[in-house]
Coordinates of all heavy atoms in Angstrom, one line a residue:
M1 N 12.1 -3.2 2.0 CA 12.0 -4.2 3.0 C 11.8 -5.5 2.2 O 11.1 -5.5 1.1 CB 10.7 -4.0 3.8 CG 10.5 -5.1 4.9 SD 8.9 -4.8 5.6 CE 8.3 -6.4 5.3
I2 N 12.4 -6.6 2.6 CA 12.3 -7.9 1.9 C 11.3 -8.8 2.7 O 11.4 -8.9 3.9 CB 13.7 -8.6 1.9 CG1 14.7 -7.7 1.1 CG2 13.7 -10.0 1.3 CD1 16.2 -8.2 1.2
C3 N 10.4 -9.4 1.9 CA 9.5 -10.4 2.5 C 9.8 -11.7 1.8 O 9.8 -11.9 0.6 CB 8.1 -9.9 2.2 SG 7.7 -8.4 3.0
K4 N 9.8 -12.8 2.7 CA 10.0 -14.1 2.3 C 8.7 -14.8 1.9 O 7.6 -14.3 2.3 CB 10.7 -15.0 3.3 CG 12.1 -14.4 3.8 CD 13.1 -14.8 3.0 CE 14.5 -14.4 3.5 NZ 15.5 -14.4 2.6
P5 N 8.7 -15.8 1.1 CA 7.5 -16.5 0.7 C 6.7 -17.1 1.9 O 7.5 -17.5 2.9 CB 8.0 -17.6 -0.2 CG 9.4 -17.4 -0.4 CD 9.9 -16.4 0.5
G6 N 5.5 -17.1 1.8 CA 4.7 -17.8 2.9 C 4.3 -16.9 4.1 O 3.8 -17.5 5.1
K7 N 4.8 -15.8 4.1 CA 4.6 -14.9 5.3 C 3.8 -13.6 4.9 O 4.3 -12.9 4.0 CB 5.9 -14.5 6.0 CG 5.7 -13.7 7.3 CD 6.8 -13.7 8.2 CE 6.7 -14.8 9.0 NZ 7.2 -14.9 10.4
Q8 N 2.7 -13.4 5.6 CA 1.9 -12.2 5.3 C 2.8 -10.9 5.4 O 3.5 -10.8 6.4 CB 0.7 -12.1 6.2 CG -0.4 -11.2 5.8 CD -1.5 -11.2 6.7 OE1 -1.3 -11.2 7.9 NE2 -2.8 -11.4 6.2
V9 N 2.6 -10.0 4.4 CA 3.5 -8.9 4.4 C 3.4 -8.0 5.7 O 4.4 -7.5 6.2 CB 3.3 -8.0 3.2 CG1 4.1 -6.7 3.2 CG2 3.7 -8.9 1.9
S10 N 2.2 -7.9 6.2 CA 2.0 -7.0 7.4 C 2.7 -7.6 8.6 O 3.3 -6.9 9.4 CB 0.5 -6.7 7.7 OG -0.2 -8.0 7.8
A11 N 2.7 -9.0 8.7 CA 3.3 -9.7 9.8 C 4.9 -9.5 9.6 O 5.5 -9.3 10.6 CB 2.9 -11.0 9.8
A12 N 5.3 -9.7 8.4 CA 6.8 -9.5 8.1 C 7.2 -8.2 8.4 O 8.4 -8.0 9.0 CB 7.1 -9.9 6.6
S13 N 6.4 -7.2 8.2 CA 6.9 -5.8 8.4 C 7.0 -5.6 10.0 O 7.8 -4.8 10.4 CB 6.0 -4.8 7.8 OG 4.7 -4.7 8.5
R14 N 6.0 -6.1 10.8 CA 6.1 -6.0 12.2 C 7.4 -6.7 12.8 O 8.0 -6.1 13.6 CB 4.9 -6.6 12.9 CG 3.6 -5.8 13.0 CD 2.6 -6.4 13.9 NE 2.1 -7.7 13.4 CZ 1.1 -7.9 12.6 NH1 0.6 -6.8 12.0 NH2 0.8 -9.0 12.2
E15 N 7.7 -7.8 12.2 CA 8.9 -8.5 12.7 C 10.1 -7.8 12.3 O 11.2 -7.8 13.0 CB 9.0 -9.9 12.2 CG 7.8 -10.8 12.8 CD 7.7 -12.1 12.1 OE1 8.6 -12.5 11.3 OE2 6.8 -12.9 12.4
S16 N 10.2 -7.0 11.2 CA 11.4 -6.3 10.7 C 11.5 -5.0 11.5 O 12.6 -4.4 11.4 CB 11.3 -6.2 9.3 OG 10.4 -5.0 9.1
G17 N 10.4 -4.6 12.2 CA 10.5 -3.3 12.9 C 10.1 -2.1 12.2 O 10.1 -1.0 12.7
C18 N 9.7 -2.3 10.9 CA 9.2 -1.1 10.1 C 7.8 -1.5 9.7 O 7.3 -1.7 8.6 CB 10.0 -0.9 8.8 SG 10.3 -2.3 7.8
S19 N 7.0 -1.4 10.7 CA 5.6 -1.9 10.7 C 4.7 -1.1 9.8 O 4.7 0.1 9.8 CB 5.0 -1.9 12.1 OG 3.8 -2.6 12.1
V20 N 3.8 -1.9 9.1 CA 2.7 -1.2 8.3 C 1.6 -0.9 9.2 O 1.3 -1.8 10.0 CB 2.3 -2.1 7.2 CG1 1.1 -1.6 6.4 CG2 3.4 -2.6 6.2
T21 N 1.0 0.3 9.0 CA -0.1 0.6 9.9 C -1.3 -0.2 9.4 O -1.6 -0.3 8.3 CB -0.5 2.1 9.8 OG1 0.6 2.8 10.1 CG2 -1.7 2.5 10.6
T22 N -2.1 -0.9 10.4 CA -3.2 -1.7 10.1 C -4.4 -1.3 10.9 O -4.8 -2.1 11.8 CB -2.8 -3.2 10.3 OG1 -2.3 -3.4 11.6 CG2 -1.8 -3.7 9.3
P23 N -5.0 -0.2 10.5 CA -6.2 0.3 11.4 C -7.3 -0.7 11.6 O -7.9 -0.6 12.7 CB -6.6 1.6 10.5 CG -5.4 2.0 9.7 CD -4.7 0.7 9.4
C24 N -7.5 -1.5 10.6 CA -8.8 -2.4 10.8 C -8.3 -3.7 11.3 O -9.1 -4.6 11.4 CB -9.5 -2.6 9.5 SG -8.6 -3.6 8.3
G25 N -7.1 -3.8 11.7 CA -6.6 -5.0 12.4 C -6.2 -6.1 11.4 O -6.1 -7.3 11.7
G26 N -6.1 -5.6 10.1 CA -5.6 -6.6 9.1 C -6.8 -7.5 8.5 O -6.6 -8.5 8.0
H27 N -8.0 -6.9 8.6 CA -9.1 -7.7 8.1 C -9.5 -7.3 6.6 O -10.5 -7.8 6.1 CB -10.4 -7.5 8.9 CG -10.1 -8.0 10.4 ND1 -10.0 -9.3 10.7 CD2 -10.0 -7.4 11.5 CE1 -9.8 -9.5 11.9 NE2 -9.8 -8.3 12.5
G28 N -8.8 -6.4 6.0 CA -9.0 -6.0 4.7 C -10.2 -5.0 4.5 O -10.7 -4.8 3.4
N29 N -10.6 -4.4 5.6 CA -11.7 -3.5 5.5 C -11.5 -2.0 5.3 O -12.3 -1.2 4.9 CB -12.6 -3.7 6.8 CG -13.1 -5.0 7.1 OD1 -13.5 -5.6 6.0 ND2 -13.1 -5.5 8.2
C30 N -10.2 -1.5 5.7 CA -10.0 -0.1 5.7 C -9.2 0.4 4.5 O -9.3 1.5 4.1 CB -9.2 0.3 7.0 SG -7.5 -0.3 7.0
G31 N -8.4 -0.4 3.9 CA -7.6 -0.1 2.7 C -6.5 0.8 3.0 O -5.9 1.5 2.1
K32 N -6.0 1.0 4.3 CA -5.0 1.9 4.6 C -3.6 1.3 4.7 O -2.7 2.0 4.9 CB -5.3 2.4 6.1 CG -6.7 3.1 6.2 CD -6.7 4.4 5.5 CE -8.0 5.2 5.8 NZ -8.2 6.3 4.9
C33 N -3.4 0.0 4.5 CA -2.1 -0.7 4.7 C -1.5 -0.9 3.4 O -0.9 -1.9 3.1 CB -2.3 -2.0 5.5 SG -3.4 -3.2 4.5
K34 N -1.4 0.3 2.5 CA -0.8 0.1 1.2 C 0.7 -0.1 1.2 O 1.4 0.6 2.0 CB -1.2 1.3 0.4 CG -2.7 1.5 0.1 CD -2.9 2.8 -0.6 CE -4.3 2.9 -1.0 NZ -4.6 4.2 -1.8
I35 N 1.2 -0.9 0.4 CA 2.5 -1.2 0.1 C 2.8 -1.2 -1.4 O 1.7 -1.3 -2.1 CB 3.1 -2.5 0.7 CG1 2.2 -3.7 0.3 CG2 3.1 -2.4 2.2 CD1 2.9 -4.8 -0.2
K36 N 4.0 -1.1 -1.9 CA 4.2 -1.2 -3.3 C 5.4 -2.1 -3.5 O 6.4 -2.3 -2.8 CB 4.7 0.2 -3.8 CG 4.9 0.2 -5.3 CD 5.1 1.5 -5.8 CE 5.3 1.6 -7.3 NZ 5.5 3.0 -7.8
V37 N 5.0 -3.0 -4.5 CA 6.1 -4.0 -4.9 C 7.2 -3.4 -5.7 O 6.9 -2.7 -6.7 CB 5.4 -5.2 -5.7 CG1 6.5 -6.3 -6.0 CG2 4.3 -5.8 -4.9
I38 N 8.4 -3.5 -5.2 CA 9.6 -2.9 -5.9 C 10.2 -4.1 -6.7 O 10.7 -3.7 -7.9 CB 10.6 -2.4 -4.9 CG1 9.9 -1.3 -4.0 CG2 11.8 -1.8 -5.6 CD1 9.4 -0.2 -4.7
K39 N 10.3 -5.3 -6.2 CA 10.8 -6.4 -7.0 C 10.2 -7.7 -6.6 O 9.8 -8.0 -5.5 CB 12.4 -6.5 -6.6 CG 13.1 -7.6 -7.4 CD 14.6 -7.5 -7.0 CE 15.3 -8.6 -7.8 NZ 16.7 -8.7 -7.3
G40 N 9.8 -8.4 -7.7 CA 9.0 -9.7 -7.5 C 7.5 -9.5 -7.8 O 7.2 -8.5 -8.5
N41 N 6.8 -10.4 -7.4 CA 5.3 -10.4 -7.8 C 4.4 -10.7 -6.5 O 4.8 -11.7 -5.8 CB 5.1 -11.4 -8.8 CG 3.7 -11.5 -9.3 OD1 3.1 -10.4 -9.5 ND2 3.1 -12.6 -9.3
L42 N 3.5 -10.0 -6.3 CA 2.5 -10.3 -5.3 C 1.2 -10.4 -6.0 O 0.7 -9.5 -6.7 CB 2.4 -9.1 -4.3 CG 3.4 -9.0 -3.1 CD1 3.2 -7.8 -2.3 CD2 3.1 -10.2 -2.3
P43 N 0.5 -11.6 -5.8 CA -0.8 -11.8 -6.4 C -1.9 -10.6 -6.0 O -1.8 -10.1 -4.9 CB -1.2 -13.1 -5.9 CG -0.1 -13.8 -5.4 CD 0.9 -12.7 -5.0
V44 N -2.8 -10.3 -6.9 CA -3.8 -9.4 -6.6 C -5.0 -10.2 -5.9 O -5.4 -11.1 -6.4 CB -4.3 -8.8 -7.9 CG1 -5.5 -7.7 -7.5 CG2 -3.3 -8.0 -8.6
M45 N -5.2 -9.6 -4.7 CA -6.3 -10.3 -3.9 C -7.6 -9.6 -4.0 O -7.7 -8.5 -4.5 CB -5.9 -10.4 -2.3 CG -4.5 -10.9 -2.2 SD -4.3 -12.6 -2.8 CE -5.1 -13.5 -1.5
T46 N -8.7 -10.2 -3.6 CA -10.0 -9.7 -3.7 C -10.1 -8.3 -3.1 O -10.7 -7.4 -3.7 CB -11.1 -10.7 -3.1 OG1 -11.0 -11.9 -3.6 CG2 -12.4 -10.1 -3.1
M47 N -9.6 -8.2 -1.9 CA -9.8 -6.8 -1.2 C -8.8 -5.8 -1.8 O -9.1 -4.6 -1.6 CB -9.4 -7.0 0.3 CG -10.4 -8.0 1.0 SD -12.2 -7.6 0.6 CE -12.5 -6.1 1.6
D48 N -7.8 -6.2 -2.5 CA -7.1 -5.2 -3.3 C -8.0 -4.6 -4.3 O -7.9 -3.3 -4.5 CB -5.9 -5.9 -4.1 CG -4.8 -6.4 -3.2 OD1 -4.5 -5.7 -2.1 OD2 -4.2 -7.5 -3.4
R49 N -8.8 -5.4 -4.9 CA -9.7 -4.9 -6.0 C -10.8 -4.0 -5.4 O -11.3 -3.1 -6.1 CB -10.3 -6.0 -6.8 CG -9.1 -6.7 -7.6 CD -9.8 -7.4 -8.8 NE -8.8 -8.2 -9.5 CZ -7.9 -7.7 -10.4 NH1 -8.1 -6.4 -10.7 NH2 -7.0 -8.4 -11.0
V50 N -11.2 -4.2 -4.2 CA -12.1 -3.4 -3.6 C -11.6 -2.0 -3.1 O -12.3 -1.0 -3.4 CB -12.7 -4.1 -2.2 CG1 -13.5 -3.1 -1.4 CG2 -13.4 -5.3 -2.6
H51 N -10.3 -2.0 -2.7 CA -9.8 -0.7 -2.1 C -8.9 0.0 -3.0 O -8.6 1.2 -2.8 CB -9.1 -1.0 -0.8 CG -10.1 -1.4 0.4 ND1 -11.0 -0.6 0.9 CD2 -10.2 -2.7 0.9 CE1 -11.7 -1.2 1.7 NE2 -11.2 -2.5 1.8
L52 N -8.3 -0.6 -4.1 CA -7.3 0.0 -4.9 C -7.8 0.3 -6.3 O -8.7 -0.4 -6.7 CB -6.0 -0.9 -4.9 CG -5.4 -1.2 -3.6 CD1 -4.3 -2.3 -3.9 CD2 -4.9 -0.1 -2.9
T53 N -7.3 1.4 -6.9 CA -7.6 1.8 -8.2 C -6.9 0.7 -9.2 O -5.9 0.2 -8.8 CB -7.3 3.1 -8.6 OG1 -5.9 3.3 -8.6 CG2 -7.9 4.1 -7.6
E54 N -7.4 0.6 -10.3 CA -6.7 -0.2 -11.4 C -5.3 0.3 -11.7 O -4.3 -0.5 -11.8 CB -7.5 -0.3 -12.7 CG -7.1 -1.3 -13.6 CD -7.3 -2.8 -13.0 OE1 -8.2 -3.1 -12.2 OE2 -6.3 -3.6 -13.2
E55 N -5.1 1.7 -11.6 CA -3.7 2.2 -11.7 C -2.8 1.9 -10.7 O -1.7 1.5 -10.9 CB -3.9 3.7 -11.9 CG -4.5 4.2 -13.1 CD -6.1 4.1 -13.2 OE1 -6.7 4.0 -12.1 OE2 -6.6 4.0 -14.3
E56 N -3.4 1.8 -9.4 CA -2.5 1.4 -8.3 C -2.1 0.0 -8.4 O -0.9 -0.4 -8.2 CB -3.3 1.6 -7.0 CG -3.4 3.1 -6.5 CD -4.1 3.2 -5.3 OE1 -5.3 2.6 -5.2 OE2 -3.8 4.0 -4.4
I57 N -3.1 -0.9 -8.8 CA -2.8 -2.3 -9.0 C -1.7 -2.5 -10.0 O -0.8 -3.3 -9.8 CB -4.1 -3.1 -9.2 CG1 -5.0 -3.1 -8.0 CG2 -3.7 -4.5 -9.7 CD1 -6.4 -3.6 -8.2
K58 N -1.9 -1.9 -11.1 CA -0.9 -1.9 -12.2 C 0.5 -1.4 -11.9 O 1.5 -1.9 -12.3 CB -1.3 -1.2 -13.4 CG -2.4 -1.9 -14.2 CD -2.9 -1.0 -15.5 CE -4.0 -1.8 -16.2 NZ -4.6 -0.9 -17.2
A59 N 0.5 -0.5 -10.9 CA 1.8 0.0 -10.4 C 2.4 -0.8 -9.3 O 3.5 -0.5 -8.8 CB 1.6 1.5 -9.9
G60 N 1.7 -1.8 -8.9 CA 2.3 -2.8 -7.9 C 1.9 -2.4 -6.5 O 2.4 -3.1 -5.6
V61 N 0.9 -1.6 -6.3 CA 0.3 -1.3 -5.0 C -0.6 -2.5 -4.6 O -1.3 -3.1 -5.3 CB -0.4 0.0 -4.9 CG1 -1.0 0.2 -3.6 CG2 0.5 1.1 -5.4
R62 N -0.4 -2.9 -3.3 CA -1.3 -4.0 -2.7 C -1.6 -3.6 -1.2 O -0.9 -2.8 -0.7 CB -0.4 -5.4 -2.7 CG 0.0 -5.8 -4.0 CD -1.2 -6.3 -4.9 NE -0.6 -6.9 -6.2 CZ -0.4 -6.3 -7.3 NH1 -0.7 -4.9 -7.3 NH2 0.0 -6.9 -8.3
L63 N -2.5 -4.3 -0.6 CA -2.7 -4.2 0.7 C -1.9 -5.1 1.5 O -1.9 -6.4 1.3 CB -4.2 -4.5 1.1 CG -5.3 -3.6 0.5 CD1 -6.7 -4.0 0.7 CD2 -5.1 -2.1 0.8
A64 N -1.0 -4.7 2.5 CA -0.1 -5.5 3.3 C -0.8 -6.7 4.0 O -0.3 -7.7 4.1 CB 0.7 -4.6 4.1
C65 N -2.0 -6.3 4.5 CA -2.6 -7.4 5.3 C -3.2 -8.5 4.5 O -3.5 -9.6 5.1 CB -3.6 -6.8 6.2 SG -5.2 -6.3 5.3
Q66 N -3.3 -8.3 3.2 CA -3.8 -9.4 2.3 C -2.7 -10.1 1.5 O -2.9 -11.1 0.9 CB -4.8 -8.7 1.4 CG -6.0 -8.0 2.0 CD -6.8 -8.9 2.8 OE1 -7.4 -9.9 2.4 NE2 -6.9 -8.7 4.2
A67 N -1.5 -9.5 1.5 CA -0.5 -9.9 0.7 C 0.4 -11.1 1.2 O 0.9 -11.0 2.4 CB 0.5 -8.7 0.4
M68 N 0.3 -12.1 0.5 CA 1.1 -13.3 0.9 C 2.0 -13.7 -0.3 O 1.6 -14.4 -1.2 CB 0.1 -14.5 1.2 CG 0.8 -15.7 1.7 SD 1.4 -15.6 3.3 CE 0.0 -15.9 4.2
P69 N 3.3 -13.4 -0.2 CA 4.1 -13.6 -1.4 C 4.4 -15.1 -1.5 O 4.5 -15.9 -0.7 CB 5.4 -12.9 -1.0 CG 5.3 -12.6 0.4 CD 4.0 -12.7 0.8
K70 N 4.5 -15.5 -2.9 CA 4.8 -16.9 -3.1 C 6.3 -16.9 -3.6 O 6.8 -18.0 -3.9 CB 4.0 -17.4 -4.4 CG 2.5 -17.5 -4.0 CD 1.7 -18.1 -5.2 CE 0.3 -18.2 -4.7 NZ -0.7 -18.4 -5.7
E71 N 7.0 -15.9 -3.6 CA 8.4 -15.7 -3.8 C 9.0 -14.6 -3.0 O 8.2 -13.8 -2.4 CB 8.7 -15.4 -5.3 CG 8.1 -14.1 -5.7 CD 8.1 -13.8 -7.2 OE1 7.9 -14.8 -8.0 OE2 8.5 -12.7 -7.6
T72 N 10.3 -14.5 -2.8 CA 10.8 -13.3 -2.1 C 10.6 -12.1 -2.9 O 10.8 -12.0 -4.1 CB 12.4 -13.5 -1.9 OG1 12.5 -14.8 -1.2 CG2 12.9 -12.4 -1.2
V73 N 10.0 -11.1 -2.2 CA 9.7 -9.8 -2.9 C 10.3 -8.7 -2.0 O 10.6 -8.8 -0.9 CB 8.1 -9.6 -2.9 CG1 7.5 -10.6 -3.9 CG2 7.5 -9.5 -1.6
V74 N 10.6 -7.6 -2.7 CA 10.9 -6.4 -2.0 C 9.8 -5.4 -2.2 O 9.3 -5.2 -3.2 CB 12.3 -5.7 -2.8 CG1 12.7 -4.4 -2.1 CG2 13.4 -6.8 -2.7
I75 N 9.5 -4.8 -1.0 CA 8.3 -3.9 -1.0 C 8.8 -2.6 -0.3 O 9.7 -2.5 0.5 CB 7.1 -4.5 -0.3 CG1 7.4 -4.9 1.3 CG2 6.6 -5.8 -1.0 CD1 6.7 -3.9 2.2
E76 N 7.9 -1.5 -0.6 CA 8.1 -0.2 -0.1 C 6.8 0.1 0.8 O 5.7 -0.2 0.1 CB 8.2 0.8 -1.2 CG 8.2 2.3 -0.7 CD 8.3 3.3 -1.9 OE1 8.3 2.8 -3.0 OE2 8.2 4.4 -1.6
I77 N 6.8 0.5 1.9 CA 5.6 0.8 2.7 C 5.3 2.2 2.3 O 6.0 3.1 2.4 CB 6.0 0.8 4.2 CG1 6.4 -0.7 4.6 CG2 4.7 1.2 5.0 CD1 6.9 -0.9 6.0
L78 N 4.0 2.4 1.9 CA 3.5 3.7 1.4 C 2.9 4.5 2.6 O 2.4 4.0 3.5 CB 2.6 3.5 0.3 CG 3.0 2.8 -1.0 CD1 1.9 2.6 -2.0 CD2 4.2 3.6 -1.6
Ligands
FES1 S1 -5.2 -3.2 7.7 FE1 -7.1 -2.5 6.9 S2 -7.1 -3.2 4.9 FE2 -5.3 -3.8 5.6

């Protein structure tokens, strides 16, 4: 899935029809909305560090509800 800059990844996924599951409503509390960056860069956010392992972060895993790309990125919904 392609996400444009300035749009939260979870919202972009809903609009594209391949929605990421957001059990906590996108508040960053559950850690269940994992996605993986395939191309581009997504900054690591505070709640990523709370819910993800260092290995996941290095592999490009992020929380969709916290992810706000600054460039066009390609992501995979996990
Ligand atoms: S929806 Fe719960 S952490 Fe993203």
Side-chain angles (χ1 to χ4, degrees):
M1 187 187 123
I2 296 172
C3 295
K4 302 277 186 195
K7 179 158 281 213
Q8 194 177 53
V9 171
S10 56
S13 75
R14 274 193 299 278
E15 291 174 10
S16 76
C18 51
S19 185
V20 177
T21 303
T22 54
C24 72
H27 298 290
N29 296 326
C30 70
K32 303 287 188 194
C33 60
K34 292 181 184 179
I35 51 130
K36 184 173 182 178
V37 182
I38 304 300
K39 185 176 180 185
N41 181 48
L42 275 175
V44 179
M45 308 303 282
T46 301
M47 297 313 284
D48 290 325
R49 295 207 181 276
V50 170
H51 293 290
L52 304 175
T53 66
E54 197 58 39
E55 289 75 24
E56 286 177 312
I57 290 171
K58 283 181 184 167
V61 177
R62 303 286 186 272
L63 298 177
C65 72
Q66 305 295 300
M68 181 74 79
K70 294 181 178 169
E71 62 188 46
T72 299
V73 295
V74 178
I75 60 113
E76 172 187 1
I77 298 173
L78 301 179

